Amino acid sequence: MFDEQFEKRADEILARYPRRESAVMPLLHLVQEREGYVPLAAERWVAEKTGVSPAHVHGVVTFYTMFRTERHGRYVLHFCTTVSCMLRGVDHLLAHAKEKLGIEVGETTPDGLFTILTVECLGSCGTAPVVQVNDDYYEDMDVARLDALLDALAAGKEPPFPPGPGPRRVLVEGD
Amino acid sequence: MEKVLTRNVGIEGSRTIQVYRKRGGYETLAKALRMDPDAIIEEVKASGLRGRGGAGFPAGVKWSFMPKEPAPERPNYLVCNADESEPGTFKDRVIIENDPHLLLEGCLCSAFAMRASRVFIYIRGEYVLGARVLERAIAEAREAGFVGEDILGSGWSCDIVVHRGGGAYICGEETALMTSIEGRRGNPRLKPPFPAQFGVYGHPTTINNVETLSCVPFIIERGASWFASIGTDERNTGPKLYGVSGHVKNPGVFELPMGTELMEIIEEHAGGMLREGKALKAVIPGGSSTPVLRADECRGLRMDFDSVAKAGSMLGSAAIIVMDETTDMVAVMERIAHFYAHESCGQCTPCREGTGWIEKILHRIRRGGGTPEDLDLLDQVAANMQGVTICPLADAAAMPCRSFLEKFRDEFEHYVRHGRSPVAAG
Amino acid sequence: MPTFTIDGRELTVPDGTTVLQAALANGIDIPHFCYHPGLRISGNCRVCLVEVEKFPKPAIACNTVVADGMVVHTDTERVRKLREAVMEFLLVNHPLDCPICDQAGECRLQEYAYEHGDATTRFREEKEHGPKRRVLGPHVLYDWERCIKCTRCIRFCQEVTRTAELGMFHRGVREEVGTFPGRPLDNPYSGCVVDLCPVGALTLREFRFRTRVWFLTDVPSVCPGCARGCSVHLGTFRNEIQRITPRVNHAVNRWWICDEGRLWGGRLEAAGERRLAGPRSPVEGADDPWRAALDEAVRVLGEQARAGKAAVLASPRMTVEEAWLLGRLAAGPLSGAPVFLAEHVAGEDDELLVRADKAPNARGVREVLGAVCGDVLPVAELEERLRAGKVAALLAIGPGLLGPVDGEPPVLAPDAAGCAPHRVVLDAWSSPLAEEATVVLPVAGYGEQEGTWVSFAGRVQHVARALWARTDCRPGIEILGALLAGLAGRDRAPRMDEIHAGISADVPAFAEIDWAALPGGAGQDLAGADASAAAAPATGALVKMLAVGWTPADE
């Protein structure tokens, strides 16, 4: 199903563990990195490589929220909605994002660019609210920063600021 | 206080082995490898180091459960719990992303003490940057001879594997974590058997938090009595990372002596209340699983394991969530309830059904459909979840619910009576 | 061997016994769902919570190993409240399906809710909803809403059949049992998950909505499918086998049966019109067809036996009683006619229950015939003799005694069978042999007559009569007894107890058999046999127990 180079990387991962089954999760991450999600055929591939049943792999894929069973947008926007981010205004930020992009949570924009997801605590409570864009944590987000980021990504440009903490800001009305 | 755990944070190149070694790193490992492993365990016991993941179990005692002479077909394992998913917690990230070699040195010293031949660092899947930083650091350490065969000629070999999670809070629970390493769904296991007898792959395993392990090199280098001299008393010792979030001007992670007063942390280090004129209303002291405290309960409270327990809550992961008077406590509780319902693994009946039930009742109350019976019902449902499940997630879901009801009952009653929050911001 | 106190009673149990196992084996019925002695301990339903003195919290009885001096309480106010709480949680999302659910009447959720629960629920919200008729495999359907996520079915496929088709998907309250697309639950034991399911989440397609279980009479019997001899219950109603379920037998099949055995009743039903309708003989328009057929059989067999041209073909599907009578015939009035034994071997033994030998009494027939009339010869030799014209009258017991024979190769090569001018055939379901017979004597079919079978491992078990035959047939011992009486000049056929006495006298392997104790039990071993050694592997919680000679309470 995959090319030789990919198989080689997979085998390297397998070799790191005393038991093959431990490689189920890292191999699923590897597949998702490459495909953007985990296709059903890939679940079977992982099952074969690790010696577990396909039902076992599917159980793992559906247990852990990071694994996607469907293609999503090019940029998956994970909004943390747990307590600390809630206290720092993520609900308002999320509402703005939905309006700006014209989609609901779980949906992808028609141009295939953005998907909005809500997730639980990402461990960035000191720089809340945080939006994880694919692998990157964009922290200290507010409407202005989010707009700047989304506009840049939509235009195919580099993000206007790197992932990580942003300028310290005070909560504003409406947050 | 002198910076210990965070001494390298902010130093350029602190992630690299060169900078780490230039600042004295890995000297302690060399010292440890010349010591008797049991002596290290005794030192850690004497230091009073208690687990910084949430449970506060004495680390040295935990290590002493491991077999002293592991059989070749049953090697000892050390697992570093870097799953950090307790809401409000973001302290381990500071070490992982800024001073990965400190963690590695802590893992290696600890692994040596407990005769482990392999370390699994289980890092939550969302910490992509952290995993990358750790992998690079391990490669550096391996090249320098600190990881692998016959480390520093000691005869002891140890490998370190970084294992990424996939998005599941429950995998921070030690038995679920081990099960996840085995490539399965993160379902917690029955105890007995305990990890030190039957852990990863059935081998003896100890699980320790990132911060806990990061303390170890300092204990070995400077001695147990130095560590124990910091803090409240001999049962609450050492430097501690406190994470502050919510309605403060300067949220972040602060390294302070164990037992620093809560109001000092909030007012002096975290910059005080976020909004002028908005008073403190409530504080969750140790992550969302810990009972909430009213503002008046925060005065004079020392943030150590025993003091917070005496105040009716828990130090937990020392994740301080600050709420001011504009906070709708019922809405916060609803959000917390959603978290636990989302994260329940689903194995046991009381947790699987109870977390969902609590969430549904709170939804209904928030939408204006609450009745007076609902409040006692909530408390009873939560009470029925405590002490009866495979793992403590059910208790972690129940405790905030019961404490919010106890401390802010009037807000719940207002919702029931008027269909909305008493707080203006709503 | 620790001694502990439970509800004031002192019990001494083997090392490693859990509180739940000790309780169940001693008449203390601690409620439980996820525990099953044939599966590893799961401990997730939380229903078996009990109080153990000196323990900081209530403990689950299924995972608490008895320790010396332990004191356990299963019936205090606190334990009752705990159980009520867990029952309430279980019912939060469980649908009110009882009126349409197959499990009603044998549903532990119903029983426990009634006994240990509160009469009302405080849950007012919308229940979780999900698929109610998901097809897991050719025989098993899954109702998500009823499922209590006990994981018994998943553990079964992992540990017993080792096929792992079932997995748990998703998380929390949306957990669901399912299969990987393209890999349905179709292992040969798939029906066992329906037995295991404590509620009506898993149902057998062939039994769905068929009968209410409280109408069933469960008759203990043995499966006719192969030489394993699994103990079963024939659930009968309205003179039909409504369903077949395993009967626990630790010397043979433990808690399981294969799908083929489980669905035997349906096979018989579907082949109804292939039952032999009645006796047949060359005599046209006889007033008493049975008399005519029996007389004709006695005549031709007697004649040809005196001429030394009679032969007997036995079937490994006969009962030992029929085999003894046949043997007495062959050795006696048929003056030493050679006896041949058919074989029904197909496929291979599997690692669990299924045997390649598809005849449930091959060993029994061989033992009896061997003792009564000496060597038993293979069918190939009979075919030779037939083709050489050495056989003028063949007395044959057909292959269709226990069900339709489609798919099986003919017992006798058709060209050989036709070589004997007289062919007297006893059979139940039509077979090529019966079709071509000159005299047909229809035998009562499976479930219509009682008898005794011996498994491949030497386990002697009673086969029950559970049904009245709907066609014109008679018990095999009556027919053979009539032939014996006719040929030996006796006035009547032997009775069952006389047959048993005869077997015990003639066949050393049966010398110690206590025939009266066989019906409804787990059977007895032939002399010199150790059937338990060949029993299905003990998996799960039982393994440790059996090692110390413990017999657990049966499910």
Side-chain angles (χ1 to χ4, degrees):
Chain A
M1 180 179 171
F2 296 110
D3 57 73
E4 204 181 297
Q5 199 172 26
F6 191 82
E7 289 280 346
K8 190 155 162 286
R9 280 187 71 196
D11 291 335
E12 278 164 17
I13 290 173
L14 275 156
R16 297 166 71 191
Y17 295 96
R19 294 188 63 109
R20 285 198 294 165
E21 312 89 72
S22 292
V24 169
M25 285 173 74
L27 287 181
L28 287 171
H29 277 303
L30 190 70
V31 168
Q32 183 154 296
E33 241 173 60
R34 154 99 141 222
E35 303 289 317
Y37 73 112
V38 183
L40 215 56
E43 291 188 20
R44 214 190 288 267
W45 174 81
V46 171
E48 271 159 34
K49 286 215 82 83
T50 54
V52 302
S53 73
H56 174 109
V57 175
H58 195 67
V60 171
V61 168
T62 54
F63 183 89
Y64 297 96
T65 53
M66 285 180 74
F67 298 125
R68 299 189 280 265
T69 54
E70 286 173 344
R71 214 176 277 287
H72 282 38
R74 167 121 54 97
Y75 301 106
V76 182
L77 313 171
H78 309 79
F79 287 79
C80 170
T81 53
T82 316
V83 198
S84 301
C85 285
M86 175 196 180
L87 293 171
R88 297 294 292 226
V90 74
D91 291 350
H92 172 74
L93 190 65
L94 176 61
H96 171 80
K98 281 159 52 171
E99 207 197 297
K100 179 184 173 80
L101 297 177
I103 53 175
E104 288 301 319
V105 173
E107 292 181 351
T108 305
T109 52
D111 57 9
L113 266 182
F114 299 110
T115 302
I116 291 181
L117 297 178
T118 52
V119 292
E120 300 300 328
C121 181
L122 285 171
S124 197
C125 323
T127 48
V130 61
V131 181
Q132 183 185 357
V133 181
N134 293 347
D135 287 344
D136 300 317
Y137 276 25
Y138 285 89
E139 303 166 29
D140 289 309
M141 293 303 282
D142 57 21
V143 166
R145 273 165 64 83
L146 185 66
D147 278 347
L149 178 61
L150 294 182
D151 292 343
L153 291 175
K157 297 213 198 80
E158 280 300 302
F161 45 83
R168 240 329 113 82
R169 62 186 194 90
V170 181
L171 215 58
V172 297
E173 221 40 62
D175 271 347
Chain B
M1 182 189 113
E2 169 216 352
K3 296 280 164 257
V4 178
L5 295 168
T6 55
R7 68 200 183 103
N8 287 338
V9 175
I11 305 289
E12 195 176 318
S14 65
R15 289 176 185 168
T16 66
I17 197 171
Q18 293 88 335
V19 172
Y20 186 69
R21 292 186 77 174
K22 198 145 66 166
R23 292 168 63 76
Y26 288 111
E27 294 296 313
T28 313
L29 176 62
K31 174 180 177 188
L33 294 178
R34 290 191 299 269
M35 291 170 71
D36 173 48
D38 283 333
I40 301 176
I41 295 181
E42 287 312 304
E43 198 71 12
V44 171
K45 272 193 196 161
S47 74
L49 175 66
R50 288 169 72 169
R52 272 101 161 100
F57 192 86
V61 175
K62 198 190 256 194
W63 295 5
S64 67
F65 298 149
M66 295 287 273
K68 304 273 189 237
E69 277 162 44
E73 69 277 7
R74 289 196 82 223
N76 287 0
Y77 291 149
L78 168 63
V79 170
C80 168
N81 187 343
D83 194 54
E84 187 152 79
S85 302
E86 177 75 25
T89 316
F90 52 107
K91 60 176 176 75
D92 296 337
R93 231 181 113 194
V94 172
I95 297 175
I96 291 169
E97 291 178 8
N98 293 287
D99 202 357
H101 284 285
L102 171 59
L103 175 58
L104 295 184
E105 192 172 11
C107 287
L108 288 162
C109 292
S110 309
F112 176 71
M114 65 181 87
R115 286 93 167 163
S117 55
R118 180 179 289 273
V119 177
F120 292 95
I121 300 180
Y122 188 99
I123 185 168
R124 64 177 294 179
E126 297 88 340
Y127 280 179
V128 182
L129 174 62
R132 239 178 260 149
V133 169
L134 277 171
E135 294 275 19
R136 215 168 293 146
I138 293 171
E140 288 181 327
R142 195 187 301 278
E143 210 188 295
F146 300 129
V147 174
E149 301 285 317
D150 190 21
I151 298 173
L152 296 182
S154 64
W156 174 68
S157 305
C158 187
D159 200 0
I160 306 185
V161 171
V162 172
H163 186 94
R164 289 180 62 210
Y169 164 73
I170 186 61
C171 288
E173 194 276 334
E174 61 175 19
T175 61
L177 195 157
M178 294 192 298
T179 306
S180 185
I181 289 178
E182 293 173 349
R184 305 177 212 256
R185 294 160 61 85
N187 286 339
R189 303 179 185 179
L190 296 171
K191 292 198 276 206
F194 293 88
Q197 305 159 276
F198 195 90
V200 177
Y201 314 136
H203 300 151
T205 306
T206 291
I207 301 96
N208 280 128
N209 171 261
V210 166
E211 188 186 346
T212 312
L213 291 167
S214 302
C215 290
V216 173
F218 299 104
I219 293 172
I220 294 174
E221 180 195 314
R222 307 190 196 179
S225 25
W226 160 81
F227 194 86
S229 72
I230 306 169
T232 315
D233 56 33
E234 73 279 0
R235 284 182 39 84
N236 297 276
T237 60
K240 183 76 190 79
L241 297 179
Y242 294 98
V244 186
S245 62
H247 295 155
V248 289
K249 282 209 182 68
N250 185 31
V253 174
F254 307 101
E255 183 180 3
L256 298 164
M258 173 72 81
T260 305
E261 285 203 16
L262 177 56
M263 292 317 293
E264 180 191 320
I265 300 174
I266 291 175
E267 283 167 351
E268 280 174 41
H269 301 278
M273 299 311 295
L274 175 64
R275 289 177 273 225
E276 294 307 320
K278 300 298 181 188
L280 180 66
K281 182 175 187 178
V283 174
I284 293 174
S288 66
S289 305
T290 59
V292 70
L293 301 167
R294 283 187 319 262
D296 59 285
E297 294 175 300
C298 299
R299 311 264 152 229
L301 177 62
R302 300 194 70 163
M303 290 293 283
D304 64 52
F305 294 106
D306 295 340
S307 302
V308 183
K310 212 158 27 156
S313 187
M314 292 161 55
L315 181 65
S317 58
I320 300 165
I321 306 176
V322 178
M323 287 161 274
D324 70 20
E325 65 187 58
T326 68
T327 311
D328 176 352
M329 297 309 287
V330 180
V332 170
M333 186 55 233
E334 183 196 24
R335 194 61 61 94
I336 292 177
H338 173 79
F339 174 79
Y340 290 104
H342 187 262
E343 298 299 328
S344 171
C345 76
Q347 267 194 112
C348 11
T349 310
C351 178
R352 181 182 68 241
E353 306 295 342
T355 52
W357 193 358
I358 289 176
E359 187 187 4
K360 285 183 175 165
I361 296 174
L362 285 165
H363 272 332
R364 183 163 50 79
I365 291 176
R366 281 258 293 150
R367 282 192 312 263
T371 64
E373 300 79 44
D374 284 331
L375 303 188
D376 286 337
L377 177 62
L378 264 177
D379 190 65
Q380 278 158 32
V381 171
N384 281 344
M385 287 164 66
Q386 289 181 278
V388 290
T389 48
I390 296 176
C391 89
L393 190 145
D395 305 86
M399 285 191 295
C401 183
R402 300 188 77 189
S403 71
F404 271 64
L405 275 168
E406 183 196 330
K407 309 280 175 77
F408 297 98
R409 184 146 184 130
D410 52 319
E411 292 201 27
F412 287 86
E413 283 173 351
H414 193 278
Y415 257 102
V416 165
R417 232 175 279 132
H418 305 286
R420 56 185 163 75
S421 168
V423 169
Chain C
M1 301 264 296
T3 301
F4 80 119
T5 310
I6 177 167
D7 293 347
R9 284 169 60 185
E10 221 180 59
L11 295 174
T12 304
V13 296
D15 282 341
T17 310
T18 62
V19 171
L20 182 62
Q21 287 163 335
L24 294 175
N26 286 278
I28 299 174
D29 197 7
I30 300 178
H32 59 283
F33 286 114
C34 64
Y35 170 75
H36 187 281
L39 305 171
R40 77 169 186 271
I41 294 168
S42 184
N44 62 289
C45 75
R46 315 309 286 181
V47 171
C48 69
L49 287 165
V50 293
E51 274 185 289
V52 182
E53 286 183 17
K54 302 215 193 88
F55 274 34
K57 308 191 294 193
I60 44 174
C62 64
N63 194 45
T64 304
V65 176
V66 172
D68 218 30
M70 195 179 253
V71 181
V72 178
H73 301 283
T74 75
D75 200 23
T76 60
E77 179 66 26
R78 186 169 173 223
V79 173
R80 280 195 289 270
K81 282 259 167 283
L82 284 169
R83 272 190 210 136
E84 247 180 62
V86 179
M87 289 307 303
E88 186 180 34
F89 281 128
L90 273 171
L91 292 168
V92 156
N93 285 306
H94 195 79
L96 270 173
D97 274 3
C98 300
I100 54 162
C101 176
D102 282 350
Q103 199 84 6
E106 55 183 19
C107 174
R108 299 247 285 281
L109 191 60
Q110 253 186 0
E111 286 161 23
Y112 293 159
Y114 184 74
E115 239 182 273
H116 305 287
D118 204 352
T120 56
T121 180
R122 302 177 286 180
F123 184 80
R124 292 171 43 197
E125 329 301 325
E126 183 68 30
K127 289 182 188 256
E128 295 287 323
H129 294 296
K132 291 184 72 66
R133 250 185 307 273
R134 170 180 292 170
V135 175
L136 291 185
H139 306 296
V140 180
L141 287 128
Y142 177 66
D143 185 316
W144 180 85
E145 294 186 355
R146 297 177 190 169
C147 179
I148 58 169
K149 288 85 182 177
C150 72
T151 70
R152 275 180 169 198
C153 54
I154 296 172
R155 282 178 276 147
F156 175 79
C157 294
Q158 281 172 352
E159 299 162 25
V160 182
T161 59
R162 313 261 173 125
T163 46
E165 298 99 331
L166 294 182
M168 190 68 93
F169 304 149
H170 302 294
R171 196 167 79 189
V173 81
R174 297 305 306 183
E175 265 197 330
E176 60 184 56
V177 174
T179 55
F180 189 83
R183 276 196 92 222
L185 175 62
D186 64 356
N187 66 63
Y189 302 87
S190 68
C192 289
V193 300
V194 178
D195 302 328
L196 284 170
C197 183
V199 299
L202 291 172
T203 48
L204 193 71
R205 187 193 283 276
E206 290 82 357
F207 184 65
R208 254 168 97 81
F209 303 130
R210 189 168 162 147
T211 323
R212 276 309 193 184
V213 303
W214 51 81
F215 293 137
L216 295 176
T217 305
D218 272 341
V219 181
S221 190
V222 184
C223 173
C226 77
R228 172 69 62 172
C230 296
S231 296
V232 296
H233 274 128
L234 303 179
T236 60
F237 178 55
R238 296 205 166 115
N239 201 31
E240 274 172 21
I241 296 176
Q242 303 290 343
R243 72 170 182 185
I244 297 175
T245 48
R247 185 162 54 98
V248 180
N249 187 336
H250 290 297
V252 184
N253 56 306
R254 307 243 182 247
W255 307 270
W256 324 121
I257 53 171
C258 73
D259 288 349
E260 201 179 300
R262 185 184 296 274
L263 299 173
W264 202 267
R267 267 191 84 200
L268 298 183
E269 238 173 50
E273 75 295 353
R274 268 173 289 158
R275 270 306 276 277
L276 297 172
R280 205 174 64 226
S281 72
V283 179
E284 296 281 338
D287 281 335
D288 183 345
W290 273 101
R291 188 76 269 146
L294 282 166
D295 285 344
E296 174 68 12
V298 164
R299 186 184 69 79
V300 303
L301 286 171
E303 261 174 34
Q304 297 308 327
R306 283 186 286 279
K309 298 191 92 180
V312 172
L313 174 60
S315 165
R317 289 175 170 152
M318 308 166 61
T319 62
V320 302
E321 293 87 352
E322 290 164 341
W324 184 75
L325 287 169
L326 190 67
R328 297 288 271 198
L329 265 171
L334 296 182
S335 17
V339 178
F340 304 87
L341 180 59
E343 232 185 34
H344 298 289
V345 174
E348 280 172 17
D349 302 337
D350 78 8
E351 278 157 27
L352 194 51
L353 293 176
V354 176
R355 304 289 301 178
D357 186 350
K358 301 304 177 195
N361 195 26
R363 177 156 179 179
V365 171
R366 199 176 278 282
E367 292 272 358
V368 168
L369 290 176
V372 172
C373 47
D375 283 334
V376 168
L377 305 164
V379 170
E381 277 190 42
L382 172 59
E383 286 169 343
E384 250 180 64
R385 242 183 249 240
L386 280 162
R387 290 191 190 107
K390 295 194 186 147
V391 180
L394 175 65
L395 170 60
I397 316 295
L401 292 175
L402 305 172
V405 300
D406 30 276
E408 285 182 5
V411 155
L412 267 186
D415 67 296
C419 294
H422 304 286
R423 302 174 296 282
V424 177
V425 175
L426 277 71
D427 213 347
W429 272 266
S430 176
S431 57
L433 202 55
E435 290 306 305
E436 302 302 311
T438 52
V439 177
V440 172
L441 297 161
V443 185
Y446 176 67
E448 296 165 1
Q449 64 172 20
E450 58 172 328
T452 310
W453 290 341
V454 182
S455 77
F456 80 101
R459 192 70 175 184
V460 182
Q461 293 190 80
H462 176 255
V463 185
R465 180 190 186 163
L467 308 163
W468 298 97
R470 292 173 197 262
T471 55
D472 189 4
C473 59
R474 293 186 181 179
I477 57 172
E478 241 184 70
I479 301 174
L480 290 168
L483 290 177
L484 190 59
L487 284 165
R490 292 235 214 86
D491 56 352
R492 67 164 177 83
R495 288 186 321 257
M496 188 65 100
D497 59 310
E498 291 168 328
I499 299 174
H500 286 158
I503 297 173
S504 293
D506 291 346
V507 190
F510 285 82
E512 306 297 314
I513 296 294
D514 178 359
W515 298 94
L518 284 176
Q524 297 158 34
D525 283 348
L526 284 182
D530 179 13
S532 302
T539 53
L542 185 61
V543 183
K544 211 170 171 187
M545 296 296 100
L546 285 182
V548 278
W550 170 266
T551 311
D554 288 332
E555 290 283 305

